[in-house]
Amino acid sequence: MRADEPSRTALGVAVARSRLDRPSTSTGDVDADRALAESLLADASESIRGRDGDRARWRGFGGWITARTSFFDDAVLAAIDDGVGQIVVLGAGYDTRALRFRSPGVRFFEVDHPATQADKRARLDRLGIAPDDVTFVAADFTEPGLGDRLAAAGHRAEVATLFIIEGVLRYLPEQWFRALLATAAGRASAGSRLAVSISTADPDEDDERAASRRRREERLVASGEPVLTVPDREVALAWLAESGWTADSVLDVADAAPGTRPGRLLVLAHR
Ligand SMILES: C[S@@+](CC[C@H](N)C(=O)[O-])C[C@H]1O[C@@H](n2cnc3c(N)ncnc32)[C@H](O)[C@@H]1O
């Protein structure tokens, strides 16, 4: 991504997610979540805002975002219910789960590229939202030292943690895709879990779907966020295992949301 600009894909996803009906915890701050979404909507391009009115475009993207959001929401709620005390959101973008699912005794860490995180924090400041129970960690995942940064920020490797990696891995070169999984595993004690979305190659891609994928990817190149790593499903799951995670469930979103293209995986794993 561009070093000096916040992620546009993060903004697009957050705007889409703000359309959905979602759960929250009894101590969660849904108003703060809404306020941030409105501030993002005000800055979203016509193309992002127009997606709502364009049924054909919304059907595929909306199905994917709906399934993905509920998968990660459920993972967070299950972890909180099970007494997991730390939630580390890697590549957090404008994710507001730390606000929506705020819970006594649970510390959220939001890790993101400095440019995106600075924009998010400035927005929260302008809106008067003080997320005191969130620890922000600025990090570029294509540089070494993430584990040390987490430790310095107060993440305790000996305490069970839920790691979330949503919509991030495909934007990293293979080396750093694998390093991010391994760093999380390296700080995951017994009882820790991982919820991750992984874009893998569409096994049934025909010429028409390939052309439409290339158009999407060209738009991402133009916005400074090229898609860099999309392995085959077996390869992705092998990388996950080699990094130290054992998959408990692997859902291809196309099986849950008809009309979405195959290959987008939602994976739950443990150490
Ligand atoms: C598609 S957005 C997803 C954001 C968030 N997880 C969500 O689902 O709303 C991709 C995220 O990856 C982050 N990202 C991309 N490349 C990164 C890098 N090299 N280092 C750190 N973060 C990066 C961006 O800042 C952005 O927040």
Side-chain angles (χ1 to χ4, degrees):
M1 58 176 289
R2 294 191 178 123
D4 52 351
E5 266 187 33
S7 161
R8 291 189 207 172
T9 57
L11 189 145
V13 171
V15 167
R17 204 163 37 218
S18 72
R19 307 295 193 213
L20 307 176
D21 279 333
R22 297 173 59 198
S24 61
T25 54
S26 60
T27 43
D29 191 347
V30 175
D31 290 341
D33 185 341
R34 282 204 197 104
L36 182 63
E38 274 164 30
S39 117
L40 294 169
L41 193 57
D43 291 344
S45 64
E46 276 309 312
S47 153
I48 288 174
R49 274 186 263 166
R51 195 154 43 199
D52 279 3
D54 181 338
R55 279 169 175 264
R57 280 182 68 204
W58 176 252
R59 201 177 309 126
F61 183 70
W64 158 230
I65 290 298
T66 303
R68 164 175 153 181
T69 300
S70 103
F71 167 81
F72 285 100
D73 285 352
D74 289 351
V76 171
L77 287 170
I80 293 171
D81 271 357
D82 293 344
V84 171
Q86 301 182 118
I87 299 181
V88 175
V89 188
L90 294 163
Y94 301 98
D95 177 333
T96 48
R97 292 190 176 92
L99 299 167
R100 177 172 280 276
F101 299 128
R102 175 182 279 164
S103 295
V106 179
R107 174 143 289 276
F108 282 80
F109 294 81
E110 288 202 1
V111 190
D112 207 348
H113 191 281
T116 311
Q117 190 169 85
D119 182 62
K120 181 183 198 173
R121 296 188 71 176
R123 285 174 191 276
L124 293 173
D125 273 356
R126 285 200 297 275
L127 293 165
I129 299 168
D132 296 333
D133 39 8
V134 183
T135 301
F136 290 98
V137 182
D140 185 332
F141 298 150
T142 62
E143 292 173 3
L146 174 61
D148 292 342
R149 278 172 194 252
L150 275 169
H155 175 256
R156 295 172 59 201
E158 72 284 9
V159 173
T161 302
L162 167 67
F163 292 90
I164 290 182
I165 309 177
E166 178 182 7
V168 177
L169 291 176
R170 70 179 186 151
Y171 299 106
L172 303 177
E174 177 188 328
Q175 171 196 359
W176 297 107
F177 175 127
R178 300 175 70 173
L180 188 59
L181 292 170
T183 299
R187 298 198 60 79
S189 60
S192 295
R193 332 156 167 198
L194 169 72
V196 59
S197 63
I198 310 181
S199 285
T200 64
D202 176 347
D204 307 325
E205 190 173 82
D206 55 15
D207 288 350
E208 193 185 330
R209 289 229 289 257
S212 116
R213 173 177 53 74
R214 280 195 289 275
R215 280 195 298 277
R216 280 193 309 275
E217 290 179 358
E218 277 160 19
R219 284 197 294 272
L220 288 165
V221 169
S223 76
E225 292 174 82
V227 173
L228 299 177
T229 307
V230 181
D232 287 340
R233 175 188 170 109
E234 296 68 33
V235 172
L237 295 179
W239 289 351
L240 187 73
E242 282 161 24
S243 65
W245 294 102
T246 302
D248 296 309
S249 64
V250 181
L251 173 72
D252 188 315
V253 171
D255 294 332
T260 60
R261 69 192 150 82
R264 292 189 282 206
L265 308 183
L266 296 171
V267 181
L268 281 176
H270 70 274
R271 270 298 270 160

